[in-house]
Every structure is written in C-alpha cells, then in structure tokens.
Amino acid sequence: MLEIKDLYVNAGEKEILKGINLKINKGEIHVIMGPNGSGKTTTANAILNNPEYQKKQGSIIFDGTDITDLKTDEIARKGVFMSFQLPEEIPGVTVANFLKYAKNKITGKPVKVFQFKDELKKYAKELKIKEETLERSLNVGFSGGEKKKNEILQMLVLNPKLAILDETDSGLDVDAIKTVSKGIEMFKNDENGVLIITHNTKILHSLKVDYVHILVDGKIVKTGTQELASEIEENGYEKYRKG
Amino acid sequence: MSKTQIEDINRNIYDIKNKDEYDYKIQKGLTKEIIEELSKQKQDPDWMREFRLKALDVYNQLKLPTWGPDLSELDMDEIATYVRPKTKMSNNWNDVPDDIKETFDKLGIPEAEKTSLAGVGAQYDSEVVYHSMKEDLIKQGVIYTDMETAVREYPELVKEHFMKCVPVHDHKFVALHGAVWSGGSFVYVPKGVKVDIPLQSYFRLNSPESGQFEHTLIIVDEGASLHFIEGCSAPKYNKVNLHAGCVELYVKDNAYLRYSTIENWSKNMLNLNTKKAIVGKNAQVDWVSGSFGSKISMLYPMSILNGEGSKTEFTGISFAGKGQNLDNGFKVVHNAKNTSSVVNAKSISKDGGTCTYRSLVRINENAKNSKSVVSCESLMLDDISKSDTIPVNDIRTDEVEFSHEAKIGKISDKTIFYLMSRGMSEEDAKAMIVRGFAYPISKELPVEYAVEMNNLINLELEGAIG
C-alpha cells in the first residue's frame, strides 16, 4: 500500500532523513520508534508533503501512485491521514462542522447529514469525548488529552486507507492511552494500514503491532516484531546509536 | 508548491450599471445658490432651508480631518451633490422603472422583503423610490418612511431630533451632510411597541460623481424595541464617489434598538459616514457592522450612554483588500451610573489592504460602577497587508471596570498544513480560517446577511468564479 524508497529529506539546510526505506501492506500496523531528533516526525510530514520539509531524493508510492510531489490535500484525498503531535486550533469552526466539511472534501461528495451526525456521536462516545465538545471550536481550549482523542475521532470519521499517528501517545495518562488504543483497534481492518510514530513504548502495551522499526539519525537501523519494542523498553536506543 | 492566487471578489451583481439617466442634476461644486436651489427642489419647509444654509456656513469654516487616512484626493467641487432618479416615490414595486427594478431584483431586495423583512426602503441615488411596510406595524403606530416625507408629515418629531444627536459642528462632513442631505429613512416606534421582525433599507449609488448624503433618523420610544438593517452597495466607477450619510438613533428609557449594517460599497467610494445613538435609562443599543467595500472608510459609530443602567454592544468586522484603507472603530461615552459597553471588533486585511481599529472609550466622573470591555482582533492574510489599533481611553473615575485587549495575527503555514492534511485545498483552508474568525460577528447578523457575508468571504478568498 505504501512504499518509501531511499528517501532523503531536509528541513532547511539540515539533512534529517538519510535514505529511508519502508513498506507497509494493507492489514498491517507498523511502529517507528526512535530517540528525539531521529527524524520520526519528519517522516510523517514527508509522507504528507509538508512544504516546510524538502525532499532531496527518493520516492513515495501509495496504492500504485507516486505521491512524492503531490500537494498535501491531494495526498489526503487519496486516503492518507496524519494525527498531529500538536493539533492546530481553529476558532469559530466547531468540531462537527470541521469534520463534515473535511469528510465532504475527502469523499468528494456531500455527506448525509443525519447519518454523519449519528456516526460522529457514536465514535465520540467510544472515545469518551463529550457530545458538547463536538460543538466547541476545534481544539480551542482543549486539554492535551482531548486534542489527541479528537485526532483519533477525525481518523475514525474520515476513515483513511493509511493512518499515520505522530506521537499520539505522548503526554497521555494510562486511561487516555487505553482509549486511543481502542480507537485504533476500532479503525483497523484488513484493508487499511496504520503507522504509529512514537519515542516510547507505552501504547504498545495495549496494542498488538506487526512490525517495529528503529529510526536513528535519519535511518532505519533495525526492523523487528513487537519483541523489539520490549527490548528497547529495557535497554534504550544506545546499542543502535553510531560510534 | 504554487502560491494561492487570491483574486478580487466577483462583483458582477454589485456592478450592474444603469445608463446615467436623470432628469435633474445640479451644477458641480457647493455654493449658497446651489443649496437654495436644492432646498427648493426638495420643497423644504423654511426651517429646513435655513438649517441647510447654516450648515453650509459651518462646512466652509471647518477643515478636513488630518488624523486619519489621506483624503486629499477628495475635491468637493467635482462632486455633484444631488441626483434625483427619474421616478417619484412608490409603494408598489410594479411602479418602479424597469432598469432600477432590475438592479434591485439582482440585489434580491424584493425577495428579502417577501421572506422575512417587515419593510424595505430602497434608496436609489438620492431619493427613496420604493417603500412599504407591513400592515400590522402601521396599525400599531409605527412610522417608517423616507426622510423628506417625515419632514413634511411629522415636523414636530423631526424638528425635535434632526441633527441634535449629531450636531453639524461635529466635523466637516457632517456639516456638508447638513447642507445637502437627501433621502434616507425615518422610523418611529411608539411607546411599548415591539417590532419583532427587522426593518430594512438598502442604499445604492448609481450616478458617477454623485455624493450620497442620506439621513437616517430612528426614534425608539420608551419600552419599545426594533431591529433595523441598513445595506449599502454601489457599482464601480473611475471617479471618486463620496458617501457622507448620517445616522441618528434615539433609544429612549427601557427601549432596545439593534442597528445592523453590511456595507459593500464599490472600491472607489469614500465612506465618511457618521452614526450616533443617544441611549436612555436602562435602554440598550447594539451595533452590528460589516464593512467590506469602499476605498477609504472612516466609520466610528458612537453610543452616548446618558441614562442610568444603559448598555451598548458593538460587534464589527472590516475586510480590506487591495487599495482599501478601512479606518473603522467605535466610540462610547459613559455618562451615567451603572452603564456598560462591550466591544468585539475584528478586521481582516489582504493584498496590501489596511485595516485600522480606532476607538474612544470615555467614562465620565458621574459614571460610577460602569463597565467597559473592549476586544479587538486582526488577521492579516499576507506580509504586505497592514493592521493597526489606535485606542483612546479616557477614564475619569476609579469606580469602573475597564479592559482592553488587542491581538494581531497571521494565518500560519502550520494551520494551513493541518487543514490540507484533512483534504482541503489551500484556498478552502484559508476560507475556513477566515470564516471561523468572522463567525462571532456573522452569528449576530440576520441569517440571509450572514450567508451574504460568508459568500463575500468565500469570493474574496477563492478567487473570481468564472
């Protein structure tokens, strides 16, 4: 479904990704782990082609299409979703209206209002998001946990083919992590994929994953299964750092 | 990644120009003879003729203001002050001439009336050509008519209030207005009468080089309430057009008035309008204002809180594009105990447009236990646009609660990226941010105006739709 080939990415003058290769098939959950500054968030942003990052080399293929240089919205409409580490606040636009508009854009057709509302309420309930939150301005005055849960809500409603979750678990308490994991489980099926980006292993306690990749200094240095995450939890990244 | 092109608004429906056809147009420039001729044409009573001549004297003595936008392009000798359309007033839509009717049809005036508005006074150039009001309001004693008719038929009411709230000495354009005023609306709501559907007027300028000096006088008597909507539009011309209208609002004890305006003058208009309200005991005046058009706008509605416990709220938004300098704001004078004012002003500027929020909050010594909360926010859509806040706060007693908050912001690339990652184009993303920013204002407008405002925002941001 997603294939990243030999990807080099700069942020300004600085070289961040130095030849990433990654393949995600449908039905799989992948995790990229790595210390701070290793290029995890850059990887997520590069897939969505955030103009703040410049691709120097390599390509990204999604569902058979080269999306390397497509605009962010085009990539989103092809079915790639990213949950943000720090979601933006949009005053004057309610969560419900925002999602209805986004759903229209993603699907390219008007949503059925009542069906949409029911679906939204159902997912909100599962994620323990209060119904009145849906009528509040998007992310404005939300706590860290509320923002993260809201990102998961968006993922469920927009129902992408590939969901990239950037540091979705950071700064969350145990209960919130459980809720987020539940959201991911609800989303997951044989036809879609998930890429979780994290610097710790907390979320992996309540979620079963297929592959774990260790990202250090802009390169994937090791790929394994869930046991690799346990090893990192015990010993840290030291072993994989250069020199 | 390519840059978004934010084009000028598609003004097709606003730019319907009719042949400049009129049966009478006075010579250019402003002299005593012209004023007398104008007065004669308008069949003024003696007191009004004398009033005009006095105002002309004041006009000649006063200087142009120097503290705001540059008005040097304005040459009063170039502006014909009075243009009378080829029709007499009518209360039947079918009697209005076809070309004028067509213009109003395209602006949706009769539809608006049919759906939800209690009455429409549409001013075409300087005289009101169409007027109507629902029967039940007439039965309750509500008066809604054009200003000339009011001068003739309600001389006592008019004399007592006309330019008492906004005296001709206020500034040069008010003096000019006093000398050449023409057309406008007069509303009187009797004691205790609640008008529960909005009254609306629509002003429109058609003739090149003509000024528009309409006078709006509204009296909401004790315990009565009213919502009045003023809409303004003008097609585009090369020469400078001047709008120096005057709005006087009298909100008597325990009365309520909401005054809503959407101004979308063409972008060569100088909008130098003066609006003021005098508010009685436990009465309230709320201003809702959307300012989208004009080349230069100097517009500072003012509430004078004379009665104990009186209140005012101002909710306004300005949207300045290329070549526009919108110097707008609000003034309030707290002149009695327990008065309160709330200001929520927003501005958006793009393509080098300038928005300035200029305000006065004065709390007099006698206004103990009063409260004033001012919040203004600006949004700039690019690096070449400007935004400024110039507040004057004159607080003369300690026993008040006063706060002023100003924020200036830009749309960040991070926000755009966030929205684009949800499938929206860059234009969609910007429009959503701007609509959200404007939402606290648009939610105060009647629904059809809120829709119009959102459409204006979308058109401004999404480019002309071919």
Side-chain angles (χ1 to χ4, degrees):
Chain A
M1 179 165 57
L2 180 83
E3 189 170 6
I4 301 177
K5 291 181 197 163
D6 197 27
L7 187 67
Y8 284 75
V9 175
N10 279 19
E13 292 297 300
K14 200 165 181 248
E15 192 177 45
I16 310 278
L17 298 187
K18 303 164 185 173
I20 297 271
N21 289 286
L22 179 69
K23 199 173 172 187
I24 299 176
N25 296 312
K26 51 187 189 181
E28 292 175 356
I29 299 183
H30 288 239
V31 178
I32 293 182
M33 296 180 71
N36 288 333
S38 59
K40 300 188 300 295
T41 291
T42 303
T43 307
N45 278 275
I47 297 171
L48 265 303
N49 201 12
N50 184 340
E52 278 182 53
Y53 299 86
Q54 303 83 41
K55 295 191 181 99
K56 293 290 162 187
Q57 197 182 311
S59 63
I60 303 171
I61 312 292
F62 181 72
D63 263 357
T65 311
D66 188 337
I67 61 163
T68 318
D69 297 317
L70 290 186
K71 285 186 183 174
T72 301
D73 54 318
E74 292 167 333
I75 298 168
R77 288 197 294 269
K78 291 209 175 294
V80 183
F81 174 88
M82 171 176 163
S83 154
F84 282 58
Q85 196 175 344
L86 298 167
E88 295 287 316
E89 300 184 358
I90 316 288
V93 181
T94 65
V95 174
N97 282 338
F98 169 78
L99 270 172
K100 195 163 66 190
Y101 191 71
K103 183 93 181 168
N104 273 333
K105 293 291 168 184
I106 293 275
T107 58
K109 55 189 178 199
V111 296
K112 297 192 177 79
V113 178
F114 290 103
Q115 193 187 323
F116 172 82
K117 273 193 169 168
D118 288 347
E119 197 183 38
L120 186 62
K121 279 181 192 167
K122 184 188 84 189
Y123 288 137
K125 203 178 167 194
E126 297 282 358
L127 296 172
K128 294 177 185 157
I129 294 170
K130 286 185 200 130
E131 226 171 87
E132 58 255 37
T133 304
L134 303 175
E135 296 306 321
R136 281 169 65 189
S137 288
L138 182 65
N139 293 323
V140 178
F142 285 22
S143 70
E146 282 177 314
K147 282 183 181 174
K148 293 283 165 69
K149 284 201 281 190
N150 195 268
E151 294 288 289
I152 298 299
L153 176 70
Q154 292 183 34
M155 175 186 75
L156 288 166
V157 170
L158 299 178
N159 194 24
K161 290 178 188 160
L162 174 68
I164 303 166
L165 309 176
D166 185 16
E167 300 283 4
T168 298
D169 52 343
S170 65
L172 295 185
D173 60 32
V174 180
D175 284 347
I177 284 182
K178 274 188 187 148
T179 308
V180 165
S181 306
K182 187 177 161 195
I184 296 168
E185 269 160 14
M186 280 172 68
F187 166 71
K188 190 69 201 59
N189 61 38
D190 291 344
E191 293 301 312
N192 61 26
V194 177
L195 175 59
I196 296 169
I197 287 172
T198 183
H199 69 274
N200 63 41
T201 54
K202 275 192 286 183
I203 198 161
L204 305 179
H205 293 296
S206 48
L207 195 70
K208 188 176 168 330
V209 305
D210 299 300
Y211 295 97
V212 174
H213 310 276
I214 308 299
L215 184 69
V216 176
D217 194 27
K219 281 182 184 157
I220 290 177
V221 294
K222 173 105 179 160
T223 293
T225 54
Q226 191 130 8
E227 287 77 58
L228 182 57
S230 315
E231 186 207 313
I232 294 291
E233 191 169 24
E234 231 164 86
N235 306 321
Y237 297 106
E238 209 48 52
K239 183 173 151 190
Y240 299 102
R241 285 183 208 266
K242 275 187 212 161
Chain B
M1 186 166 173
S2 70
K3 263 289 195 220
T4 314
Q5 288 297 316
I6 300 173
E7 301 290 342
D8 250 5
I9 178 175
N10 176 351
R11 292 191 53 96
N12 288 344
I13 64 156
Y14 301 104
D15 287 348
I16 317 146
K17 239 185 271 184
N18 291 336
K19 239 166 70 197
D20 189 12
E21 212 180 273
Y22 41 82
D23 58 359
Y24 173 82
K25 190 169 181 174
I26 60 170
Q27 68 188 95
K28 292 176 173 185
L30 207 55
T31 61
K32 193 177 170 201
E33 288 68 39
I34 290 174
I35 301 302
E36 286 196 337
E37 201 184 335
L38 184 151
S39 185
K40 205 169 128 195
Q41 281 291 328
K42 299 198 76 69
Q43 301 171 312
D44 280 343
D46 287 347
W47 74 269
M48 185 54 81
R49 193 187 68 246
E50 282 157 26
F51 185 93
R52 288 181 189 275
L53 290 170
K54 268 186 215 152
L56 177 67
D57 279 347
V58 177
Y59 168 73
N60 285 326
Q61 284 161 28
L62 293 174
K63 295 202 163 37
L64 285 175
T66 52
W67 43 265
D70 181 14
L71 297 173
S72 55
E73 67 183 275
L74 190 62
D75 179 356
M76 286 310 299
D77 291 341
E78 277 295 312
I79 292 177
T81 54
Y82 179 60
V83 181
R84 200 173 57 166
K86 271 181 103 73
T87 178
K88 294 277 172 259
M89 205 179 82
S90 165
N91 57 13
N92 182 344
W93 187 248
N94 295 325
D95 294 344
V96 177
D98 283 346
D99 58 338
I100 292 179
K101 203 156 74 177
E102 201 182 313
T103 304
F104 281 124
D105 273 343
K106 286 185 184 167
L107 287 165
I109 304 284
E111 281 81 0
E113 182 198 42
K114 277 173 212 151
T115 50
S116 67
L117 302 168
V120 171
Q123 175 154 3
Y124 192 86
D125 289 352
S126 302
E127 282 193 16
V128 172
V129 292
Y130 176 62
H131 232 286
S132 77
M133 197 172 64
K134 291 234 165 102
E135 286 295 320
D136 57 333
L137 292 179
I138 298 170
K139 276 184 205 146
Q140 291 181 80
V142 176
I143 302 167
Y144 179 26
T145 184
D146 67 285
M147 204 55 218
E148 279 84 355
T149 304
V151 169
R152 281 194 304 272
E153 293 182 10
Y154 310 99
E156 293 314 311
L157 265 178
V158 174
K159 246 179 161 172
E160 192 189 331
H161 297 95
F162 185 83
M163 297 203 81
K164 295 286 187 346
C165 178
V166 179
V168 291
H169 292 86
D170 254 18
H171 57 79
K172 192 170 180 77
F173 296 101
V174 164
L176 172 67
H177 175 92
V180 302
W181 75 268
S182 177
S185 299
F186 175 80
V187 182
Y188 174 76
V189 185
K191 280 182 191 174
V193 173
K194 314 267 185 206
V195 181
D196 49 11
I197 27 181
L199 289 183
Q200 150 163 308
S201 79
Y202 211 102
F203 296 106
R204 184 173 161 79
L205 264 184
N206 194 54
S207 178
E209 284 180 78
S210 67
Q212 181 144 355
F213 307 97
E214 87 288 352
H215 195 92
T216 303
L217 175 55
I218 298 177
I219 303 158
V220 186
D221 215 329
E222 291 172 21
S225 74
L226 174 70
H227 183 185
F228 190 83
I229 305 167
E230 171 197 65
C232 311
S233 169
K236 212 180 265 179
Y237 284 98
N238 292 325
K239 298 205 173 176
V240 166
N241 269 344
L242 171 66
H243 177 233
C246 179
V247 174
E248 298 185 280
L249 311 176
Y250 294 86
V251 190
K252 309 272 167 146
D253 294 355
N254 301 305
Y256 176 79
L257 172 61
R258 168 174 282 232
Y259 193 89
S260 303
T261 311
I262 288 284
E263 278 173 299
N264 189 32
W265 294 117
S266 68
K267 293 187 179 159
N268 67 332
M269 178 68 83
L270 302 188
N271 185 31
L272 310 169
N273 215 354
T274 305
K275 301 178 176 186
K276 210 187 271 188
I278 293 179
V279 192
K281 200 171 167 185
N282 293 319
Q284 179 164 354
V285 67
D286 291 344
W287 305 87
V288 180
S289 167
S291 175
F292 287 84
S294 307
K295 180 175 189 187
I296 293 173
S297 169
M298 294 173 75
L299 181 62
Y300 323 100
M302 182 175 193
S303 294
I304 301 171
L305 302 177
N306 269 348
E308 251 186 71
S310 57
K311 289 183 178 141
T312 189
E313 279 186 29
F314 173 82
T315 311
I317 192 159
S318 307
F319 194 151
K322 191 177 179 181
Q324 288 182 276
N325 184 351
L326 305 185
D327 199 285
N328 295 337
F330 180 63
K331 296 193 277 187
V332 59
V333 177
H334 290 254
N335 202 29
K337 275 187 219 166
N338 305 323
T339 51
S340 97
S341 59
V342 176
V343 176
N344 185 4
K346 299 210 172 204
S347 75
I348 301 161
S349 45
K350 70 163 183 99
D351 292 343
T354 301
C355 277
T356 303
Y357 175 74
R358 197 185 291 273
S359 71
L360 168 73
V361 174
R362 176 163 158 180
I363 303 182
N364 285 340
E365 245 172 283
N366 59 351
K368 307 230 182 291
N369 195 30
S370 289
K371 190 177 160 184
S372 176
V373 180
V374 180
S375 151
C376 49
E377 267 187 273
S378 319
L379 186 63
M380 284 177 289
L381 301 190
D382 51 49
D383 294 332
I384 53 169
S385 300
K386 287 186 199 142
S387 179
D388 206 356
T389 305
I390 307 172
V392 175
N393 303 315
D394 181 0
I395 317 289
R396 304 186 178 192
T397 171
D398 289 336
E399 295 164 52
V400 293
E401 204 180 303
F402 172 73
S403 72
H404 180 107
E405 191 187 349
K407 276 194 260 181
I408 293 184
K410 279 184 188 172
I411 297 182
S412 81
D413 291 342
K414 283 191 169 63
T415 311
I416 299 273
F417 175 65
Y418 183 63
L419 297 182
M420 286 178 77
S421 80
R422 302 306 187 244
M424 298 171 209
S425 67
E426 188 170 346
E427 293 85 346
D428 290 339
K430 281 188 177 169
M432 173 175 269
I433 294 164
V434 172
R435 278 198 308 269
F437 179 78
Y439 175 72
I441 318 292
S442 58
K443 80 175 162 63
E444 295 299 323
L445 291 168
V447 66
E448 64 272 28
Y449 278 77
V451 169
E452 185 184 341
M453 191 169 124
N454 274 342
N455 287 342
L456 282 169
I457 288 172
N458 289 345
L459 286 168
E460 287 275 359
L461 292 165
E462 287 172 8
I465 293 153

